[in-house]
Amino acid sequence: MKYTEGMLKEDALKGKTIVITGGGTGLGRSMGKYFLELGANLVITSRKLDVLKESAKELEEETGGKVLPLSCDVREYEQVEKVINDATDHFGKIDGFLNNAAGNFISPTERLSHRAFDTVVDIVLRGTYNCTLAMGKKWIDDENPGVFLNIVTTYAWTGTGYTVPSACAKAGVLALTRSLAVEWAKYNIRTNAIAPGPFPTKGAWERLLPGDLAEKFSMKNKVPVGRHGEHQELANLAAYLMSDYSAYVNGDVITIDGGEWLKGAGQFNMLEEVTPEMWDMLEQMRKK
């Protein structure tokens, strides 16, 4: 079985411009690369412009496509509006918007400050509705069709211990997805979401579970198919939902997790095994 091959026709996204928040690294970068291979123009955003510029250069060299890197803190509505205006000025229009930016802490909830809780909810939920509202208003005003694709998680509907701010925020994004799929369909705007299971990304996984913990609590042990997801598998699904091939898919949330959530709801519930001393160690490592 080949998990790393693209599944759509080479011109499936030809002429489309897609914005990806958190698009310079990790899963955002992987999805963006495949969009470029399928003929799309790409706009990538995050708060770190230097990282975005480097990623944009690499992506253009790897695919021959066009990438516009734009700095943006999705928590700030005015910055989101500027990205949309700058991207429209550069490429002429925007056809798809992928809300991918996220933040997370693995911690017992009682150890979190209210500021830590705010940080996750603001990036994930506020960031998503800022981008969705700003982009949706423009599409409606300009009478242009559009596609929103949001990244959620299976614990958006099951809940989970130890990542409670993320669970709360993702649940809000899930509600936003389903609500606007109904309300904005009359404007020819589709809204869908993907709930990925374990797809390893170097930076994120090392921050969440550093050192030997990543192996001790390996997510693939919870997956019935016995492995992690490959980035191309997620990119294939994202490209399909962004493309005209999915024109009749609206308001859906597609899970791609190898059956993980069915095997055991709550992605981090097994962290009951982490001792208080180990939590102290993790907190100290995050402060460095």
Side-chain angles (χ1 to χ4, degrees):
M1 180 66 69
K2 297 179 180 179
Y3 308 119
T4 57
E5 291 185 356
M7 74 176 191
L8 296 184
K9 295 180 180 179
E10 292 183 357
D11 62 351
L13 296 175
K14 186 176 181 179
K16 294 185 182 295
T17 296
I18 298 172
V19 179
I20 304 180
T21 64
T25 59
L27 296 177
R29 187 189 189 283
S30 296
M31 289 184 282
K33 181 180 178 182
Y34 190 44
F35 296 167
L36 289 166
E37 292 172 352
L38 296 174
N41 301 314
L42 191 65
V43 181
I44 55 175
T45 79
S46 75
R47 288 175 291 169
K48 298 180 179 179
L49 187 58
D50 56 336
V51 174
L52 290 173
K53 287 181 176 179
E54 183 64 26
S55 294
K57 178 182 177 182
E58 293 172 355
L59 287 167
E60 288 185 338
E61 292 173 350
E62 292 168 8
T63 67
K66 297 178 180 179
V67 185
L68 177 65
L70 294 173
S71 176
C72 180
D73 185 340
V74 294
R75 297 171 294 185
E76 301 295 334
Y77 189 81
E78 292 75 16
Q79 292 189 34
V80 172
E81 285 186 310
K82 186 176 188 307
V83 163
I84 291 171
N85 291 333
D86 289 350
T88 301
D89 290 344
H90 189 84
F91 287 119
K93 63 183 176 67
I94 297 171
D95 302 280
F97 205 109
L98 173 50
N99 284 302
N100 172 70
N104 205 353
F105 296 105
I106 292 184
S107 173
T109 306
E110 69 273 16
R111 286 178 175 248
L112 292 174
S113 70
H114 68 279
R115 293 182 182 84
F117 213 112
D118 287 345
T119 296
V120 175
V121 173
D122 282 352
I123 294 172
V124 176
L125 181 53
R126 183 189 300 274
T128 297
Y129 70 62
N130 278 347
C131 293
T132 302
L133 187 61
M135 188 73 257
K137 283 175 177 285
K138 182 163 182 57
W139 279 336
I140 292 167
D141 289 344
D142 294 345
E143 297 184 351
N144 287 333
V147 178
F148 285 114
L149 182 58
N150 300 324
I151 302 299
V152 293
T153 176
T154 55
Y155 59 68
W157 54 84
T158 66
T160 184
Y162 303 100
T163 56
V164 171
S166 176
C168 293
K170 293 291 190 181
V173 174
L174 180 59
L176 180 74
T177 301
R178 290 171 168 162
S179 301
L180 290 181
V182 176
E183 184 178 344
W184 282 357
K186 63 189 176 188
Y187 300 117
N188 202 12
I189 296 172
R190 293 190 296 118
T191 308
N192 292 297
I194 297 175
F199 284 84
T201 57
K202 182 174 171 45
W205 280 44
E206 286 180 349
R207 287 192 298 271
L208 288 174
L209 292 171
D212 295 339
L213 291 178
E215 183 60 32
K216 179 178 177 60
F217 298 112
S218 177
M219 297 295 177
K220 69 181 179 182
N221 296 332
K222 294 182 61 188
V223 180
V225 301
R227 65 176 179 87
H228 295 136
E230 296 287 344
H231 284 213
Q232 185 62 49
E233 294 176 290
L234 179 61
N236 284 339
L237 178 56
Y240 166 70
L241 291 173
M242 277 292 182
S243 76
D244 295 335
Y245 292 112
S246 63
Y248 203 52
V249 181
N250 184 41
D252 205 356
V253 183
I254 300 180
T255 301
I256 178 168
D257 73 345
E260 179 205 22
W261 90 273
L262 294 172
K263 184 175 181 180
Q267 198 168 55
F268 295 97
N269 284 345
M270 74 291 193
L271 294 184
E272 289 285 357
E273 297 182 30
V274 178
T275 66
E277 291 76 16
M278 294 172 71
W279 285 120
D280 290 338
M281 179 188 70
L282 287 171
E283 287 183 2
Q284 290 304 314
M285 292 181 69
R286 283 201 297 269
K287 293 176 181 177
K288 292 181 179 180

